[in-house]
Amino acid sequence: MDVTVAQRSLAGLPGVVDVHDLHVWTLTSGMNMASGHLSVACAADVAPVMRAAHVLLAHEFEVTHATLQVEPKDSGFVCTPCPSSPATAAGCTREGAEAERAKDAQPGS
């Protein structure tokens, strides 16, 4: 399975603005699993987004068990990518995320 294609497909769902930390693996023969984070537009209704994501993963990628975390785009939540994440390869680093959290923790910010 091409995880990049799955990530793009999920990002194309109505209400989804970003997909990151998507991991896919086979637990046992015929049992594909996934976990990931979906950033959604603040006005998005989460239930239809989750339903559409699960249907897409099952029908298009044969992933029958997925744990998806939904994050409102403008929530201020900073997700730290793992070292092997495409976000890290694109220049988003753990240090950058930690600096952003430290800046937010300063008094008066």
Side-chain angles (χ1 to χ4, degrees):
M1 178 184 147
D2 188 335
V3 177
T4 303
V5 172
Q7 188 168 1
R8 274 193 229 122
S9 296
L10 287 166
L13 293 172
V16 177
V17 295
D18 179 57
V19 178
H20 54 279
D21 290 336
L22 181 62
H23 303 278
V24 181
W25 67 98
T26 301
L27 184 62
T28 186
S29 180
M31 188 173 196
N32 297 322
M33 316 273 287
S35 68
H37 298 199
L38 306 176
S39 294
V40 297
C42 286
D45 186 358
V46 174
V49 170
M50 290 294 286
R51 188 171 29 261
H54 283 277
V55 167
L56 177 105
L57 288 171
H59 291 202
E60 299 294 322
F61 301 100
E62 298 180 356
V63 172
T64 55
H65 182 86
T67 302
L68 301 171
Q69 177 174 317
V70 177
E71 306 160 354
K73 179 182 181 270
D74 297 325
S75 68
F77 179 78
V78 177
C79 182
T80 305
C82 61
S84 63
S85 168
T88 304
C92 179
T93 63
R94 179 178 299 275
E95 292 80 15
E98 289 171 355
E100 187 69 27
R101 280 193 297 273
K103 182 180 87 177
D104 289 343
Q106 291 178 355
S109 60

